[in-house]
Amino acid sequence: MRAFLATSIGVAGSAALVLPLALPASAAPATSVTTYVSTPASLPAEVAVPGSTQSLPLRTLPAERATGAALQGLTRRDVRPFSLVGVVWDDPDAELHGSVQVRTRASGTGAWSGWQSVETHNDDHAADPGTPERDSGTVRGSTAPLWVGASDGVEVRVRAEAPRAGASPAPLPRGMRIELVDPGDEPASEPAGEDTAQGPEIPEGNDTGTTSGQVPVPALTPEESAASAVNAELVPLGATEIPELTKEETEAAYADRFGEETMTAKPYIGPRPRIVTRKGWGADEQLRERNFVYTKSVQVAFVHHSATGNNYTCKQAPSVLRSIYRYHVKSSGWRDFGYNFAVDKCGNIYEGRAGGVAKAVLGAHTRGFNTNSMGIAVLGTYSQSTPPSSAVTAVARLTAWKLGLYGKDPRGKSTLTSGGGNRYKKGTKVKLNAISGHRDGFSTECPGARLYGKLGTARSAAAKYQGR
């Protein structure tokens, strides 16, 4: 545990610590049609990590006769299989003032869906201004991604806001294209069953070992080893899940972190919940940027909804995660998955951005407040739909444990300094709830009114899990 302290929270001030542990990802611009396919040169084709992205540029369509508003899109067409869609454009600072709608054709039945709306404002989920991730030159403007399920046909229309009387029509961002993401096949061991909270057993071997009485564990790539090694104090290398512990087991596991005096006074830390690792949900470690970046502490947990829609099963959650991950990195140009954790509708908890579940990993979830915080995305859209109680309970269990590691009362408050956003100017010190909604740090609808209304319940439950 002392080595853990040195690498995760021993960073002076709020400056980020960067550790190079894997290979960089590259982002290719789209011309006519660009397909990004993960095929590591070090692996034979038959075991290459699956998944791909089709990037199709949008074209100008006849303007709306009634309003004169600009309109771009694509007419119905056949495409290679995909399951998630989003629209991106060249300038990350350009806002899309308008609406995005898509129709998709189901692979199994050939039936076309009705028009589905895509959340257009996604710049509130991003790296802080002035950070290396934001200034990398690869970042693009993007909508939120929408999960549509297995599809092989698409139609899209992007309509600019109707101009006010006497005003010119609002322009749409330049370089718009639709991204069609194929998450690839499921991992050999699925993290969650159909509408259950069950998961895989943990391998008891190393990167070349085998599980007890199970099939051999495949050798890990260097990138997979790096992403797994940061959790090595919790589980063996290559583990697909981190098992839950009782409160007593959790306190014993972290005894040297708190010291004898604190342990005598009984630390307020919740039992560690079960967490599906990146290996468990099938993250392609070739995609992300090579470094892990840490900040000093975790003082606030920001709760989000992914805005990907609620039309998924818990068995599909790993595919949803792989799709969002690919969209964040290859389409939006981020360094990794934006959120530190994700929670599905059945209450399964997933490791998000690489760097270690117990560590203070810098994310790209709440623009302006990523330092000394963590982001939790509840998979789904909860503006009008009520989140399942299992998901709210999972948020409470996760925050009771993670905030407890950093001495935080889930019902308390912490002061963070804004890195710049539309609600608080850069340098503004803001007092926030230890469990906050995304909208508390940025003017946004996220995490949706229905999920935001459940945060009080999550705070109370988390405090009870901590023994307060």
Side-chain angles (χ1 to χ4, degrees):
M1 286 301 296
R2 288 176 178 81
F4 168 88
L5 291 173
T7 58
S8 65
I9 64 173
V11 187
S14 60
L17 172 65
V18 182
L19 299 181
L21 290 172
L23 296 178
S26 60
T31 53
S32 55
V33 178
T34 300
T35 302
Y36 309 119
V37 183
S38 299
T39 308
S42 59
L43 297 177
E46 63 269 22
V47 295
V49 179
S52 64
T53 301
Q54 301 170 71
S55 186
L56 285 68
L58 303 188
R59 300 172 180 173
T60 300
L61 301 177
E64 297 271 298
R65 290 185 177 181
T67 65
L71 186 65
Q72 290 189 26
L74 292 176
T75 56
R76 288 190 183 188
R77 64 191 57 215
D78 298 337
V79 292
R80 289 184 295 277
F82 69 97
S83 295
L84 178 139
V85 304
V87 170
V88 302
W89 52 92
D90 296 339
D91 185 357
D93 294 321
E95 293 188 27
L96 197 168
H97 295 289
S99 63
V100 176
Q101 292 181 307
V102 298
R103 298 182 69 186
T104 56
R105 184 180 63 201
S107 298
T109 65
W112 283 88
S113 71
W115 286 106
Q116 302 178 74
S117 295
V118 179
E119 172 58 52
T120 58
H121 298 293
N122 194 46
D123 61 343
D124 49 353
H125 303 78
D128 291 350
T131 60
E133 181 172 3
R134 178 59 179 78
D135 296 340
S136 64
T138 65
V139 179
R140 306 178 182 92
S142 61
T143 68
L146 178 68
W147 175 261
V148 295
S151 306
D152 57 14
V154 68
E155 181 179 7
V156 58
R157 62 189 184 192
V158 181
R159 180 182 289 107
E161 288 181 350
R164 296 180 181 179
S168 300
L172 290 170
R174 294 183 178 181
M176 288 198 303
R177 46 206 182 273
I178 188 167
E179 304 284 289
L180 307 176
V181 181
D182 171 21
D185 297 330
E186 293 293 335
S189 181
E190 295 179 354
E194 183 75 21
D195 296 327
T196 68
Q198 301 301 312
E201 296 183 35
I202 301 173
E204 295 178 353
N206 54 26
D207 57 335
T208 59
T210 61
T211 56
S212 299
Q214 301 179 40
V215 296
V217 178
L220 301 179
T221 66
E223 296 78 19
E224 290 173 330
S225 294
S228 184
V230 287
N231 290 317
E233 295 180 357
L234 309 180
V235 287
L237 199 66
T240 55
E241 71 169 45
I242 297 168
E244 63 181 328
L245 299 177
T246 66
K247 192 174 191 310
E248 292 72 20
E249 290 170 337
T250 302
E251 291 174 358
Y254 295 96
D256 60 340
R257 176 162 189 174
F258 295 100
E260 293 184 3
E261 288 186 14
T262 306
M263 290 303 296
T264 301
K266 187 181 181 181
Y268 292 111
I269 177 173
R272 188 180 74 194
R274 170 183 170 271
I275 302 171
V276 178
T277 66
R278 289 170 63 93
K279 178 70 173 175
W281 56 264
D284 177 0
E285 301 298 350
Q286 293 276 344
L287 293 181
R288 61 176 172 80
E289 204 270 343
R290 70 189 302 259
N291 300 322
F292 302 143
V293 185
Y294 302 100
T295 59
K296 181 181 179 181
S297 183
V298 177
Q299 297 294 302
V300 174
F302 285 103
V303 178
H304 307 255
H305 66 175
S306 63
T308 46
N310 303 319
N311 190 27
Y312 75 93
T313 65
C314 294
K315 184 177 180 179
Q316 293 174 319
S319 290
V320 177
L321 289 172
R322 293 197 305 278
S323 297
I324 296 174
Y325 172 42
R326 177 173 281 275
Y327 184 75
H328 281 178
V329 177
K330 304 302 291 186
S331 301
S332 302
W334 299 358
R335 69 191 310 278
D336 193 355
F337 192 83
Y339 310 102
N340 299 102
F341 296 93
V343 171
D344 68 23
K345 64 176 68 175
C346 293
N348 296 297
I349 300 171
Y350 302 85
E351 178 184 16
R353 178 162 289 207
V357 297
K359 301 182 181 182
V361 179
L362 178 69
H365 48 84
T366 305
R367 184 177 175 185
F369 291 99
N370 291 304
T371 296
N372 294 335
S373 72
M374 70 175 185
I376 305 169
V378 180
L379 298 182
T381 303
Y382 298 105
S383 300
Q384 298 180 348
S385 299
T386 301
S389 58
S390 56
V392 178
T393 297
V395 170
R397 286 175 56 83
L398 176 58
T399 52
W401 172 68
K402 187 66 179 280
L403 290 175
L405 290 179
Y406 293 87
K408 298 304 301 180
D409 183 342
R411 301 166 303 181
K413 295 181 182 292
S414 290
T415 299
L416 298 182
T417 301
S418 173
N422 66 359
R423 184 165 184 172
Y424 299 104
K425 294 182 180 180
K426 185 175 182 177
T428 304
K429 294 186 180 300
V430 184
K431 183 174 286 188
L432 296 159
N433 288 315
I435 300 177
S436 287
H438 186 180
R439 63 177 63 182
D440 294 325
F442 199 97
S443 293
T444 174
E445 292 298 317
C446 185
R450 296 295 182 88
L451 179 54
Y452 188 77
K454 295 293 184 180
L455 296 188
T457 300
R459 294 183 194 108
S460 298
K464 290 182 180 178
Y465 284 127
Q466 285 189 348
R468 295 183 186 271

